[in-house]
Amino acid sequence: MADDGRAKRLKSSQDGGVADVVAELRGRVAELELENKTLRQENRQQAGGRIAALESENEQLRRRGQGEGTHEVLPVIVATVVTVDLSRVDTSIVAQISSFLGTAREMLSLALTCKSFGWRQPMSTLNWSLVEEVARQTVSSMTTDAEMSSVSRYVSGSMTWLSILHRDENLLVFDVLLGSYIEHQDGNKTVVSSAGGDYDRSVAVSSGYVMKSGAHYAEFLITGGPYIGIVRPMPGLDADAYDVFDFFSSEFYTDFLAQRSDDWGDSEVNVCEFSCCDGERGWADWHDGRFDNEWEGTESCQSGDIVGMLLNLDGGTLTVYRNNRRLGVMKTGLSGPYCWHVSLSKSQAGTDAVSIKRGALINSDGARRLN
């Protein structure tokens, strides 16, 4: 009987333990289900909020696109200003770099970029800006010592090295035609030829190149028997007022003298020219008429010859060359401003024609350099 009691107690005890475990598991399942339900609710709330935010942003973009078009929204870039202390950079280095600029216009652009380049340098003996110094070096490399001695007086006056460089860069052209019987060849302003009737004379002037001081050399390739020389600049002369034209026609002297300016100076030579036909010279003061005569270099030229003219306003002389051979000093006592000019006509011998270009001066050592 005792054994049966023990068995019943054991069974009863086992049944009670299983029930507790089952109850505990059911409780844990309930907790997990509740937690899962809570998480699902939170996820739905978060997702709903995110979706709502995205929908709101999409709506704003849609409205902006309707109002402003379908432009892409570009990012805003804030520029950073960097200050460079140019005083720490050696001036000679900057000048060397600047010398690679090709033209006076490019150097002018550099001068306008900042004060350090374009303003005068207080530490410089001659008070030049950096750009002026570069222009001076460039001009020096293109000219002879004699030319430099005259050019420096320009700088101390109203002109600058930059303007001198700009002048020297420009080609010589015949920009003014006086009379109806002259024309440019094929639109080329460096070449003119006679046109129209026989012996109807007209003139071409390189008025854009006014020579006031220093030495200037030009070469003229000739056809026929033109006249070549120098004349006073007369920018106010009405080119359309003349049919036949000649600087030695006394009927026009009043018109010429009306163009006189103070810088003409005291020289009585207002026009002077070399006759390629017979080698004689002619000059006039526009008061007493024309003066023609032979001179030390009298020598006629032929078609295809190159007539060179050297105007040295430091010495007041005009020297003539034929095919690089010096004929001599054709005129002295010159002062004030002059321009190159040619006088042409058509005759039974043919049509006169002349081309002009800047020549090369001969230094004392025999080297040739552009003037």
Side-chain angles (χ1 to χ4, degrees):
M1 294 294 292
D3 293 339
D4 294 338
R6 289 195 295 273
K8 289 179 180 180
R9 286 195 295 272
L10 179 59
K11 181 177 180 182
S12 176
S13 177
Q14 291 175 344
D15 293 341
V18 172
D20 292 340
V21 171
V22 171
E24 184 178 354
L25 290 173
R26 287 177 177 173
R28 181 59 180 161
V29 169
E31 291 176 358
L32 292 174
E33 289 179 348
L34 179 61
E35 185 177 357
N36 189 25
K37 182 178 180 181
T38 302
L39 290 173
R40 282 199 299 270
Q41 291 176 349
E42 291 177 355
N43 287 337
R44 283 197 297 268
Q45 292 175 354
Q46 291 177 357
R50 179 60 179 161
I51 291 172
L54 291 173
E55 289 179 348
S56 175
E57 183 178 359
N58 190 29
E59 180 64 23
Q60 292 177 2
L61 292 174
R62 185 182 297 110
R63 292 177 179 177
R64 184 182 301 176
Q66 292 174 350
E68 303 178 2
T70 57
H71 303 295
E72 181 181 357
V73 179
L74 299 177
V76 178
I77 299 176
V78 179
T80 302
V81 179
V82 179
T83 302
V84 178
D85 186 1
L86 293 176
S87 64
R88 296 178 176 271
V89 182
D90 187 87
T91 303
S92 62
I93 296 177
V94 180
Q96 177 66 21
I97 296 173
S98 302
S99 67
F100 288 96
L101 295 174
T103 64
R105 184 176 296 277
E106 290 176 346
M107 278 195 273
L108 175 61
S109 298
L110 176 63
L112 296 175
T113 58
C114 66
K115 297 178 181 178
S116 297
F117 292 152
W119 279 29
R120 293 181 174 180
Q121 305 297 312
M123 300 302 293
S124 173
T125 303
L126 296 177
N127 211 22
W128 293 329
S129 69
L130 175 67
V131 167
E132 278 288 275
E133 173 59 21
V134 174
R136 186 193 68 81
Q137 294 177 9
T138 303
V139 172
S140 299
S141 68
M142 299 169 57
T143 56
T144 64
D145 293 339
E147 290 173 311
M148 285 300 297
S149 65
S150 64
V151 166
S152 62
R153 292 197 294 274
Y154 270 139
V155 177
S156 63
S158 60
M159 296 188 72
T160 64
W161 287 112
L162 200 57
S163 63
I164 293 170
L165 177 61
H166 179 264
R167 180 202 65 185
D168 290 346
E169 288 172 347
N170 295 329
L171 292 174
L172 287 177
V173 296
F174 294 116
D175 53 340
V176 173
L177 303 182
L178 297 163
S180 303
Y181 304 103
I182 191 169
E183 61 187 7
H184 294 115
Q185 283 192 358
D186 300 323
N188 184 355
K189 289 188 176 183
T190 66
V191 186
V192 288
S193 61
S194 56
D198 291 345
Y199 304 106
D200 290 326
R201 186 161 296 279
S202 294
V203 172
V205 182
S206 181
S207 68
Y209 188 81
V210 179
M211 301 168 285
K212 296 181 180 180
S213 65
H216 306 265
Y217 187 81
E219 292 182 339
F220 303 84
L221 175 62
I222 70 166
T223 299
Y227 292 82
I228 302 172
I230 56 174
V231 68
R232 296 296 190 189
M234 294 180 285
L237 204 62
D238 185 4
D240 297 327
Y242 307 95
D243 186 26
V244 177
F245 186 90
D246 191 347
F247 283 128
F248 292 89
S249 294
S250 58
E251 59 183 305
F252 303 140
Y253 284 1
T254 301
D255 295 350
F256 301 157
L257 292 175
Q259 297 294 312
R260 183 182 182 90
S261 59
D262 293 338
D263 62 352
W264 282 19
D266 298 328
S267 175
E268 61 180 3
V269 182
N270 291 326
V271 60
C272 181
E273 63 185 22
F274 170 78
S275 170
C276 295
C277 180
D278 55 22
E280 292 187 351
R281 71 174 177 187
W283 67 276
D285 59 7
W286 294 336
H287 289 289
D288 300 325
R290 173 174 183 155
F291 307 93
D292 293 292
N293 50 35
E294 294 184 352
W295 57 289
E296 61 174 323
T298 299
E299 184 176 312
S300 61
C301 300
Q302 299 177 356
S303 294
D305 283 349
I306 295 177
V307 176
M309 285 204 167
L310 172 61
L311 175 64
N312 185 349
L313 289 170
D314 288 340
T317 60
L318 180 63
T319 305
V320 180
Y321 297 78
R322 179 188 178 195
N323 298 328
N324 293 324
R325 179 171 55 86
R326 184 178 183 274
L327 298 183
V329 176
M330 187 172 71
K331 195 67 177 125
T332 60
L334 305 175
S335 65
Y338 292 100
C339 299
W340 300 117
H341 85 275
V342 297
S343 180
L344 312 179
S345 68
K346 188 176 180 180
S347 66
Q348 295 177 353
T351 298
D352 289 347
V354 178
S355 68
I356 185 174
K357 71 174 184 178
R358 292 174 58 204
L361 291 174
I362 302 177
N363 295 340
S364 58
D365 57 3
R368 298 179 69 85
R369 304 176 71 177
L370 284 178
N371 71 317

